[in-house]
Amino acid sequence: MKIGEVSKLLHISQDTIRYYMELGLLVPGRHGNLYDFSEDSIEDIRWIHKLKEMGFLLKEIQKVLSLRRTSNWVEPQEIAEYLILLDKKKKSLRKDIENIEDEIARIEEEEKSFTIETAGDKVLVGAPLKALEYLRCPFCGEAFAVEQVQMNSRYIYNGKLACSCGYALEIRDGILLSPGAADEADGGADLEREKYKDLPASVVTMLQRSYNFLLHRISGMQLYDRVVMETDINEFFYLYTHFRKIENRVLFIITDRYPQVLRMYKERIEYLKLDLDILYVADGSGNYPLKKGSVDLLIDYFSSNYRETCHGESMSGRMPEYLKENGEIIGCYFSGKNEGRIFDKKQFLEEMKGNGYALIKERTIECPVEVGKGNQLLLYEVKAEESTAAQKTVT
């Protein structure tokens, strides 16, 4: 028989037959350039399939076929050797079953430990009372009058904040809602965290390297009783997986234009029971209701890329007015081409310098091909220069 005929007869591909031949499992006859498969060769294939169904590996099948080819299956020694191979495989499979059952038991225990918690198991938090001293009208700079509040000794859960100039805010379910917040009916809120799903391993590795840089720089700072701010978390949210690794006596300010994104992350963080003070601010305008010069550390995890796209400015534009005189920005900036737009790290750093910020640390990571050939991540840390600090104090 020709190889095509054998393929049709036994319902296996010609590539599989050739692979068996390469391994020496099949040794058909040959006439010129054509292979001739005899009944013995066809029987060899049937034996290969039978042994595979019993769990034998191809290298183990080779030994059985060698016994078959060198005996008539009537010799006691060969039969005994084959029975030994069968018994050995049976014991191996039973051991596999035991191991699989142990693994299933471990999976079931893991499933129990990761069961989605009910609402009663989370620690409900609100807007921290300690955050009130940092809240100011973004237009006149005056403090707010607090009205109609529901609160305890640590948090405000619901209430209204009003300025004498007419600007007003609402605290709803512990989230500060500004007039600049997006309408919840607007599209674009990543409530399913789609940006993080099905990322190639090379991209996750790249992000982890950026995480490591930021965490190393942050870990070297004295943040006790300081203010740390991260904006635009609908894009990426660095602090979400790093709260546990940062000094907990910090006031965290987390902002995004979508109230529903803040609500989603707030609920998930409440399940973690971290005992943190986090002020969630829904605002997309950039006119944050915060006292100027109140933030010690600003985290820019691709926020500058978002701001350049949507507002035509990076973090060194409007945001530094919220930083203290010695405040710092630590971040990760995408440099390259994305969706028809070019982001230039050199221009970005020059803009930082032009806005009065000195570069403390810089590192570049090459992006994997999945992100785009030639693209890079700029990891950076900048700090306000003395002249900038003096200018902010005068203004």
Side-chain angles (χ1 to χ4, degrees):
M1 277 190 180
K2 296 179 181 178
I3 187 170
E5 295 172 324
V6 175
S7 174
K8 291 180 180 179
L9 176 66
L10 299 179
H11 306 291
I12 60 174
S13 70
Q14 295 185 34
D15 288 341
T16 300
I17 295 173
R18 292 190 182 95
Y19 181 58
Y20 291 162
M21 292 165 58
E22 290 176 10
L23 296 178
L25 297 175
L26 291 179
V27 189
R30 189 163 186 167
H31 297 290
N33 293 327
L34 300 176
Y35 289 104
D36 182 20
F37 291 82
S38 65
E39 285 299 323
D40 280 345
S41 294
I42 293 172
E43 189 62 21
D44 279 343
I45 295 175
R46 290 193 174 104
W47 266 89
I48 292 170
H49 286 183
K50 178 174 70 172
L51 292 166
K52 285 180 69 177
E53 289 173 350
M54 289 188 282
F56 281 85
L57 304 175
L58 291 179
K59 64 180 180 180
E60 297 170 329
I61 291 173
Q62 179 74 66
K63 190 167 187 179
V64 176
L65 290 179
S66 296
L67 284 173
R68 177 176 178 273
R69 289 168 180 161
T70 58
S71 73
N72 289 310
W73 285 132
V74 295
E75 299 83 359
Q77 184 174 349
E78 278 72 14
I79 292 174
E81 188 170 351
Y82 180 46
L83 291 174
I84 289 172
L85 291 173
L86 290 174
D87 186 64
K88 183 178 179 181
K89 174 55 67 175
K90 180 172 62 176
K91 290 178 179 177
S92 174
L93 291 173
R94 283 177 174 163
K95 184 64 177 176
D96 289 343
I97 291 173
E98 291 178 8
N99 291 337
I100 290 172
E101 288 176 344
D102 288 342
E103 290 165 358
I104 290 173
R106 292 189 183 97
I107 289 173
E108 290 173 344
E109 287 299 315
E110 189 74 355
E111 286 175 334
K112 292 177 183 177
S113 69
F114 274 84
T115 299
I116 297 176
E117 299 180 45
T118 62
D121 293 321
K122 66 180 181 179
V123 177
L124 188 64
V125 301
L129 286 175
K130 66 186 294 185
L132 289 178
E133 66 176 292
Y134 298 101
L135 295 179
R136 293 291 187 276
C137 175
F139 299 107
C140 71
E142 294 297 317
F144 293 104
V146 183
E147 305 169 350
Q148 304 174 26
V149 296
Q150 295 176 346
M151 58 183 289
N152 60 19
S153 60
R154 184 172 180 181
Y155 299 115
I156 298 175
Y157 297 99
N158 294 285
K160 296 184 182 298
L161 303 178
C163 178
S164 58
C165 74
Y167 181 84
L169 304 166
E170 179 183 0
I171 298 176
R172 187 188 306 162
D173 298 325
I175 296 174
L176 196 63
L177 304 174
S178 83
D183 190 316
E184 296 205 24
D186 293 347
D190 186 11
L191 299 180
E192 300 299 325
R193 287 167 51 85
E194 295 292 341
K195 293 183 181 69
Y196 298 88
K197 291 182 179 179
D198 301 322
L199 289 174
S202 58
V203 176
V204 175
T205 298
M206 175 191 72
L207 293 177
Q208 184 60 53
R209 292 175 67 188
S210 71
Y211 290 166
N212 293 344
F213 174 88
L214 267 66
L215 185 61
H216 176 72
R217 305 305 299 176
I218 293 172
S219 298
M221 297 180 173
Q222 297 296 326
L223 294 177
Y224 186 87
D225 274 343
R226 303 295 175 88
V227 177
V228 176
M229 184 174 182
E230 183 173 4
T231 66
D232 310 306
I233 63 169
N234 186 58
E235 306 308 309
F236 285 93
F237 190 4
Y238 171 79
L239 284 172
Y240 180 58
T241 53
H242 294 85
F243 278 118
R244 288 189 176 98
K245 302 170 185 176
I246 300 175
E247 164 65 53
N248 65 350
R249 284 295 302 273
V250 169
L251 174 63
F252 294 99
I253 301 176
I254 307 299
T255 78
D256 195 77
R257 60 197 181 279
Y258 295 111
Q260 61 268 42
V261 168
L262 294 171
R263 190 179 307 115
M264 178 266 291
Y265 276 115
K266 176 178 178 289
E267 181 174 347
R268 294 186 179 191
I269 293 169
E270 286 171 342
Y271 282 125
L272 299 178
K273 306 179 179 70
L274 296 179
D275 190 31
L276 299 175
D277 288 315
I278 305 176
L279 176 65
Y280 298 92
V281 181
D283 184 277
S285 68
N287 294 314
Y288 297 113
L290 300 174
K291 182 168 63 176
K292 302 299 188 288
S294 59
V295 177
D296 295 277
L297 173 63
L298 182 62
I299 294 176
D300 169 17
Y301 202 70
F302 300 113
S303 294
S304 280
N305 293 109
Y306 163 73
R307 287 175 173 274
E308 285 183 25
T309 301
C310 298
H311 301 294
E313 64 177 4
S314 68
M315 295 296 278
S316 65
R318 178 180 296 179
M319 287 306 299
E321 66 180 309
Y322 297 102
L323 288 175
K324 289 184 178 178
E325 293 180 1
N326 59 347
E328 297 188 26
I329 306 176
I330 294 180
C332 179
Y333 178 81
F334 172 82
S335 179
K337 296 180 180 179
N338 182 47
E339 297 181 352
R341 187 179 180 90
I342 297 177
F343 299 94
D344 187 346
K345 67 176 183 179
K346 291 183 179 179
Q347 181 178 336
F348 174 75
L349 290 175
E350 287 173 1
E351 183 181 340
M352 281 284 187
K353 183 177 180 180
N355 284 314
Y357 284 83
L359 184 64
I360 298 175
K361 188 73 175 180
E362 172 191 1
R363 182 178 299 169
T364 300
I365 297 176
E366 297 295 329
C367 294
V369 293
E370 292 89 345
V371 179
K373 187 176 180 180
N375 292 335
Q376 298 176 321
L377 292 190
L378 169 68
L379 310 177
Y380 74 92
E381 178 180 358
V382 296
K383 188 172 185 177
E385 295 178 320
E386 291 185 6
S387 59
T388 304
Q391 183 179 3
K392 287 168 66 177
T393 302
V394 172
T395 58

